[in-house]
Amino acid sequence: MMLKSLIDAIEILESKDPLNLLRSKLKGVEYEEKKIGEVTFVKVYYGSGGREKVEILGRLGAIQMQNASKGLVSDADGAIVTLAVLLELLNLKEKGIALDLDVSFVTNISLNAKLIPHQPFNFMVPLIGLDEALKEEVDPKAGLILSIDSTKGNRLAKFDDFALTHVIKDGYILKLKDEVIDIYNRVTGHEVYLVSLTTGDLTPLDFNVYHISTLISPWLYTDSPIIGIATVSKQMIPGYVTGVQDIEMLEHASRFCLEMLKYVEGGGKVYDENELKELKEKLGESNLQRVKKWKT
């Protein structure tokens, strides 16, 4: 069950040496670990030539702040959900249930991050900087990216469960297909919660405008559609505090990702391609494409 996979993920990440535990757990799985400076990225690959490829991307500055606190910080949510979905897929595979889909799981397992100015609380970003991290995190072969990020330190997305963004593609914000909203409704048992995005959210972080989080920043490094999956809260919570993991929300977000993988496996689309075509024909390419920083 997803809850067991979620607890297993938390047990691994909330340890003094999470990387060693993760390596032991993933023996026999296609696993890659890359350290850049003090930042450690892990990439795990599932599948063997499926028709589609999806990336589950856990966005965060770090899972812990060992120089300031003890235990998992709020910012760790992206890594928790990413690992929980991976472990659940592996559990299903052991039971003889496999998806005809390629999935890359990418996240940051670092134990410290840096803080940069932001209101109402400072942002946590990887020690190597957001741009360098994104270049490493975004899978250029993925046809869809589900970007998971703790988004609690704001005054806008204040819900008691995880929230979605609409689809970000080529500098346009496109409505989620109704079928995706249906999946959200079934998983959570309530109406869809949406993150209110502004144009500023689609710009690089060094633009001096408001960004709700780095949830959709990966769009700057891919041509593929992105859906943001935000773990949120009724209260404003900074990313660097401990003791705030909401198990029910994390389980819902993890189960949503799994159901999205099944949906894509079945040929499901996340946005109306004719809508994007209409926008480009009437308005041209989005001006936001000018600031796109291509992965090198």
Side-chain angles (χ1 to χ4, degrees), residues 101-294:
L101 190 74
D102 287 349
V103 189
S104 57
F105 295 87
V106 182
T107 196
N108 163 6
I109 310 292
S110 298
L111 303 180
N112 282 305
K114 65 179 177 180
L115 303 179
I116 61 174
H118 181 264
Q119 292 296 328
F121 302 111
N122 290 340
F123 267 159
M124 279 178 65
V125 297
L127 290 170
I128 60 172
L130 179 63
D131 287 333
E132 292 305 310
L134 288 169
K135 290 175 185 177
E136 189 62 37
E137 292 170 352
V138 173
D139 185 344
K141 297 180 181 178
L144 168 66
I145 298 176
L146 302 181
S147 175
I148 307 136
D149 197 355
S150 178
T151 307
K152 301 170 191 160
N154 68 87
R155 301 177 186 276
L156 299 173
K158 308 314 299 171
F159 306 113
D160 56 6
D161 208 336
F162 80 96
L164 300 176
T165 69
H166 284 298
V167 174
I168 313 303
K169 175 81 166 70
D170 298 343
Y172 282 103
I173 301 176
L174 306 167
K175 179 190 173 296
L176 286 165
K177 293 276 283 186
D178 287 348
E179 291 84 354
V180 176
I181 296 173
D182 289 341
I183 292 171
Y184 180 97
N185 296 150
R186 290 196 300 270
V187 165
T188 64
H190 57 69
E191 71 277 18
V192 66
Y193 296 159
L194 291 171
V195 178
S196 300
L197 296 177
T198 66
T199 303
D201 289 307
L202 275 70
T203 64
L205 203 56
D206 54 10
F207 276 44
N208 189 28
V209 296
Y210 181 79
H211 297 80
I212 195 167
S213 71
T214 62
L215 180 66
I216 59 167
S217 297
W219 92 269
L220 293 164
Y221 294 88
T222 182
D223 287 328
S224 298
I226 290 182
I227 298 174
I229 298 172
T231 57
V232 294
S233 60
K234 288 277 192 176
Q235 300 77 32
M236 289 187 294
I237 298 174
Y240 42 83
V241 299
T242 60
V244 295
Q245 263 73 40
D246 183 331
I247 295 297
E248 183 176 39
M249 175 173 62
L250 292 170
E251 195 275 342
H252 284 177
S254 302
R255 193 149 38 92
F256 173 82
C257 290
L258 181 59
E259 294 304 309
M260 282 296 296
L261 294 178
K262 297 176 186 177
Y263 173 69
V264 173
E265 178 194 31
K269 304 296 182 182
V270 298
Y271 70 97
D272 187 335
E273 294 176 356
N274 289 326
E275 188 172 287
L276 178 59
K277 181 180 178 183
E278 175 78 1
L279 288 169
K280 287 185 174 181
E281 286 179 352
K282 297 292 173 58
L283 301 176
E285 293 292 330
S286 167
N287 284 338
L288 286 162
Q289 291 285 75
R290 298 178 185 176
V291 298
K292 199 162 191 176
K293 297 182 178 181
W294 295 103

